[in-house]
Structures are given as structure tokens and as C-alpha cells.
């Protein structure tokens, strides 16, 4: 399973962090970051066995920039 975060489109609302601290954190620049992710083009991607709460983060993101594949 892969979590994809389009960080360049993040508005810094913190919703993803509120529901999923396991995978997301707020960075010093005020935007959310996907913990341990590798940059692939403009996105950040993380391979994981179980996306768990990242699915909730994708659901609550107001700009819909978190995808689970």
C-alpha cells in the first residue's frame, strides 16, 4: 500500500495530523509532512503494510491532497 501526499498543495490546516499522528506531522514551515516519506517528483510517497489512519487523513483533508493506493 502506498500513501501519497501532494505537499506543495497543502494549506497547513492540520486535519491530517489531528486524525493520524502516526503518519503526519506539522513541519516548521507550517505545512503537514508525511513522516518517513521519499520525494517522488512533487509528491511525497510512503510504502506501508497498513495505511490505517492515513485513510482517515485522506478523508478529512479539505483540499484532498492525500491519496491511498
Amino acid at each position: 500500500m502506498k500513501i501519497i501526499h501532494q505537499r506543495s498543495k497543502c494549506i497547513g490546516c492540520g486535519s491530517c495530523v489531528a486524525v493520524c499522528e502516526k503518519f503526519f506531522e506539522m513541519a516548521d514551515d507550517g505545512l503537514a509532512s508525511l513522516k518517513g516519506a521519499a520525494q517522488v517528483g512533487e509528491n511525497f510517497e510512503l510504502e506501508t503494510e497498513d495505511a490505517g489512519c492515513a485513510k482517515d487523513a485522506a478523508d478529512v483533508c479539505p483540499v484532498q491532497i492525500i491519496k491511498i493506493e
Side-chain angles (χ1 to χ4, degrees):
M1 208 170 270
K2 185 186 299 184
I3 305 168
I4 301 169
H5 183 225
Q6 296 172 297
R7 191 173 190 275
S8 63
K9 297 179 181 178
C10 180
I11 60 172
C13 73
S15 295
C16 58
V17 177
V19 299
C20 191
E21 288 185 338
K22 177 179 178 181
F23 289 111
F24 293 93
E25 64 188 353
M26 295 305 290
D28 291 339
D29 63 1
L31 301 178
S33 290
L34 179 58
K35 294 178 181 180
Q39 189 166 1
V40 179
E42 290 187 14
N43 298 333
F44 287 83
E45 298 183 2
L46 179 68
E47 292 282 343
T48 183
E49 293 285 322
D50 179 17
C53 64
K55 294 175 184 176
D56 297 329
D59 290 341
V60 300
C61 178
V63 287
Q64 298 294 289
I65 60 168
I66 301 168
K67 307 290 184 226
I68 311 297
E69 292 183 352

